Amino acid sequence: MARRAGGFGEMRRLAVAGLVAGATLVTVLSLARVILALRGGALVAPEEPEAVAPAVVPDSTLLGKGLLLPVQGVSPAALTDTFDDSRAGGARVHHALDILAPRGTPVLAAEAGRVVRLHNGGAGGITVYEVDTASRYGYYYAHLDRYADGLGEGQTVARGQVLGYVGTTGNAPPGTPHLHFAIYEITDPKRPWRGRPIDPFPLWR
């Protein structure tokens, strides 16, 4: 009888352990689904703009905005079109304009808009995502040395307002300070970092 009772107790302990393990697994899977759902939504942004449509040159709407060249003191004649250059050993297209300037040169808002994201890390280093007042176009400023004092997410900015300063953060060559500047037409307002890449170079030529 004692042997049977001991066997029954062992079976009961195994059953309880199995139930606990099953409940834990369900909880983990549920959390995983929540995380995946969030990653599919607007809450998780990539480090750099996502190209979800073919690249284009600026249309008449963008040309008519009279965008400010976003690095103080740089002449349009000094620009070189780097939009179609290959990066990462040919694994991707640059889809941006590199504007060379001395470290610490003020970086200016190309037009009035709103700061939707500040990010520090990854290939872009210290970066700013800005959208225009209609949330149609996004502007990405990367490799900054630092942000302007008081700059914050959700803040409205004026055309020409200082956003930060030219640097070499991220994967920029340490001896070549520059602003990595990208423009894209937003395809989903809930994801203002995604869209159609636009070559900025023709805007100032």
Side-chain angles (χ1 to χ4, degrees):
M1 294 293 293
R3 190 174 296 174
R4 287 182 181 176
F8 178 74
E10 183 64 23
M11 289 177 62
R12 184 169 60 183
R13 282 192 293 273
L14 289 173
V16 170
L19 289 173
V20 170
T24 302
L25 180 60
V26 169
T27 301
V28 170
L29 290 175
S30 297
L31 287 172
R33 279 194 288 269
V34 170
I35 292 171
L36 288 173
L38 290 176
R39 286 189 177 277
L43 300 181
V44 179
E47 294 174 355
E48 298 185 83
E50 288 183 319
V52 296
V56 294
V57 296
D59 63 12
S60 58
T61 301
L62 198 56
L63 288 168
K65 284 176 172 284
L67 294 185
L68 184 70
L69 203 158
V71 178
Q72 189 175 87
V74 173
S75 166
L79 299 177
T80 299
D81 195 352
T82 58
F83 186 77
D84 292 319
D85 289 0
S86 64
R87 291 292 188 270
R92 62 183 178 85
V93 179
H94 190 217
H95 283 164
L97 178 65
D98 283 344
I99 306 174
L100 277 64
R103 187 183 306 277
T105 302
V107 171
L108 314 174
E111 75 160 314
R114 179 170 53 91
V115 175
V116 292
R117 187 171 189 242
L118 300 178
H119 180 73
N120 185 355
I126 298 175
T127 64
V128 176
Y129 282 83
E130 179 200 2
V131 298
D132 69 358
T133 55
S135 295
R136 178 176 178 183
Y137 295 102
Y139 308 103
Y140 176 69
Y141 311 78
H143 303 320
L144 303 179
D145 189 64
R146 61 184 175 89
Y147 294 121
D149 292 343
L151 190 71
E153 291 185 354
Q155 178 180 336
T156 57
V157 293
R159 181 180 185 273
Q161 181 173 330
V162 177
L163 302 178
Y165 301 88
V166 171
T168 55
T169 56
N171 64 0
T176 312
H178 67 279
L179 174 68
H180 171 104
F181 179 65
I183 302 177
Y184 49 99
E185 185 174 12
I186 298 168
T187 54
D188 181 354
K190 293 182 179 179
R191 298 177 176 86
W193 49 83
R194 306 180 71 190
R196 183 190 304 273
I198 297 172
D199 187 356
F201 184 75
L203 292 169
W204 302 294
R205 305 302 291 182

